[in-house]
Amino acid sequence: MSEATADKPWGGASTLNAASRASARQGGTWWLGAVAGLAWLLAAAVTVAWPDLHDWESTHQVAIAETAVGAWLLLLGALSPWLPLPGRRLRYWGPWLLALGLGFALWQVATAKFGWLPRPFFAPPQGIVDVFIEDWPRLLECVWRSLFLWGTGYFFGVTLGFLLGTAIGWSRLAAYWIQPVLKLIGPVPANAWIPIVFFVFPTTFSGSVFLIALASGIPVTILTWSGIASVGNAYYDVARTLGASNRFLILKVAVPAAMPHVFVGLFMGLYSSFAVLVVAELLGVKAGLGWYIQWATGWAAYANVHATLIIMALLCSGLVKLLFLVRDRTLSWQRGVVRW
């Protein structure tokens, strides 16, 4: 594993082990962690000691959470020489932890304390926490509905995209018929499909699945096609010399060699499908994060909108992290070659 990938959190267990040994050799107190802990304690002091312009129910809970994070960072900063692996992880994220602590303090000042960012368009951290506490049952149901809808669309999209990309990359006949259609529908935004979806699909759920599948399937198709077409002829020649059939060439030569491209398509499809999720849930679904955003916007409850966006960002980040784990396991035989 290269030094470039060693600094990344998805670098794998061996990378972290090597990094932890390097950190153990470095030793010393993690001073940036201590500064980050002080920043979080500053945010807690601003939250609790500075009166709010408006009443927020969760001000003290937010201050307690910020104090806990600040004390935790101070403690880990002092103990980091004796905690090589956690110390390494925290050293990597230290600048972000410092920026977040200062960001929370500035967020408090700009919203709850001075009102530079006025209500109802902006809410302080305690306003977001109020939404999570008061409306968590509805948010939980929306998370489940959105994940089910997105998972269904993403599965069909990437499966069909992989098959089409393989066909285009391998067969000139398939490329002749599919390429023009792909170039035609690829740039069309999701909103433009809504009238056709209402007419063609019998239910709003199937129409929403189609939009998400389209958003995720096109990047997978293009990148799989590119990966298959990029395989060197020398690989095929060697396999044919050993008596390989066309099926063997596709499944054992072309597809494995194209997997790094396929995973790029999977990542691009994941981001695209998440962006389309809000549009897909405009078709008449009864619950979902996109539906919740539309509902909250109608009532000018922008704190609810911001809370939902935070949930969507965390869900998307978690899925990306999961996909990186799958990629590392699937492409373990190409370790050192894949550098992203």
Side-chain angles (χ1 to χ4, degrees), residues 3 13 15 35 60 119 141 145 176 207 219 221 223 243 246 272 283 307 320 327:
E3 290 296 326
T15 304
V35 175
H60 287 85
R119 297 176 66 188
E141 181 185 1
R145 294 289 189 90
Y176 174 80
T221 303
L223 269 300
N246 281 339
S272 299
L283 299 183
V320 169
R327 186 212 63 172

Side-chain angles (χ1 to χ4, degrees), residues 307-318:
T308 311
L309 293 177
I310 291 173
I311 293 175
M312 294 184 71
L314 293 176
L315 284 176
C316 189
S317 298

Side-chain angles (χ1 to χ4, degrees), residues 162 164-171 221-233 236 249-251 253-259 261-262:
F162 177 77
L164 287 177
T166 304
I168 298 172
W170 183 260
S171 168
T221 303
I222 295 174
L223 269 300
T224 304
W225 163 24
S226 173
I228 296 289
S230 301
V231 178
N233 290 328
Y236 298 127
L249 291 176
I250 295 173
L251 298 180
V253 179
V255 170
M259 286 309 293
H261 290 76
V262 175

Side-chain angles (χ1 to χ4, degrees), residues 1 3 6 12-25 85 88:
M1 185 66 67
E3 290 296 326
S14 61
T15 304
L16 288 175
N17 290 336
S20 65
R21 289 193 295 271
S23 176
R25 288 195 297 270
L85 183 57
R88 170 61 186 174

Side-chain angles (χ1 to χ4, degrees), residues 53-323:
L53 291 178
H54 307 280
D55 292 333
W56 300 97
E57 295 181 1
S58 303
T59 298
H60 287 85
Q61 288 87 336
V62 171
I64 291 172
E66 291 169 339
T67 303
V69 173
W72 175 71
L73 287 173
L74 284 174
L75 181 63
L76 286 183
L79 297 178
S80 60
W82 295 276
L83 300 171
L85 183 57
R88 170 61 186 174
R89 292 177 182 270
L90 289 173
R91 285 175 197 274
Y92 177 81
W93 291 110
W96 268 106
L97 292 169
L98 173 60
L100 284 174
L102 295 175
F104 268 91
L106 183 61
W107 187 3
Q108 286 285 351
V109 172
T111 53
K113 310 308 178 185
F114 278 127
W116 294 333
L117 301 176
R119 297 176 66 188
F121 303 104
F122 299 94
Q126 48 267 44
I128 306 295
V129 174
D130 284 347
V131 174
F132 289 135
I133 293 176
E134 295 174 359
D135 212 15
W136 68 266
R138 183 180 296 173
L139 285 171
L140 196 61
E141 181 185 1
C142 289
V143 168
W144 159 244
R145 294 289 189 90
S146 289
L147 282 179
F148 182 71
L149 174 64
W150 173 85
T152 305
Y154 186 74
F155 172 76
F156 284 113
V158 300
T159 301
L160 187 60
F162 177 77
L163 295 176
L164 287 177
T166 304
I168 298 172
W170 183 260
S171 168
R172 291 183 179 178
L173 180 63
Y176 174 80
W177 287 105
I178 300 176
Q179 272 189 24
V181 179
L182 192 64
K183 292 177 181 177
L184 183 67
I185 67 174
V188 178
N191 290 341
W193 288 97
I194 290 179
I196 300 175
V197 167
F198 273 126
F199 179 77
V200 173
F201 290 90
T203 63
T204 55
F205 179 80
S206 59
S208 301
V209 168
F210 167 76
L211 292 179
I212 295 173
L214 192 67
S216 57
I218 289 178
V220 175
T221 303
I222 295 174
L223 269 300
T224 304
W225 163 24
S226 173
I228 296 289
S230 301
V231 178
N233 290 328
Y235 293 101
Y236 298 127
D237 294 339
V238 171
R240 288 193 183 98
T241 303
L242 298 175
S245 62
N246 281 339
R247 180 179 179 183
F248 185 92
L249 291 176
I250 295 173
L251 298 180
K252 301 297 184 181
V253 179
V255 170
M259 286 309 293
H261 290 76
V262 175
F263 270 97
V264 174
L266 291 175
F267 281 105
M268 294 177 64
L270 193 153
Y271 285 118
S272 299
S273 59
F274 241 86
V276 170
L277 181 62
V278 175
V279 177
E281 290 181 342
L282 288 176
L283 299 183
V285 299
K286 300 301 181 183
L289 294 174
W291 169 87
Y292 189 90
I293 288 175
Q294 295 299 322
W295 171 80
T297 303
W299 288 96
Y302 295 107
N304 297 58
V305 174
H306 299 157
T308 311
L309 293 177
I310 291 173
I311 293 175
M312 294 184 71
L314 293 176
L315 284 176
C316 189
S317 298
L319 291 169
V320 169
K321 178 67 175 178
L322 181 63
L323 193 53

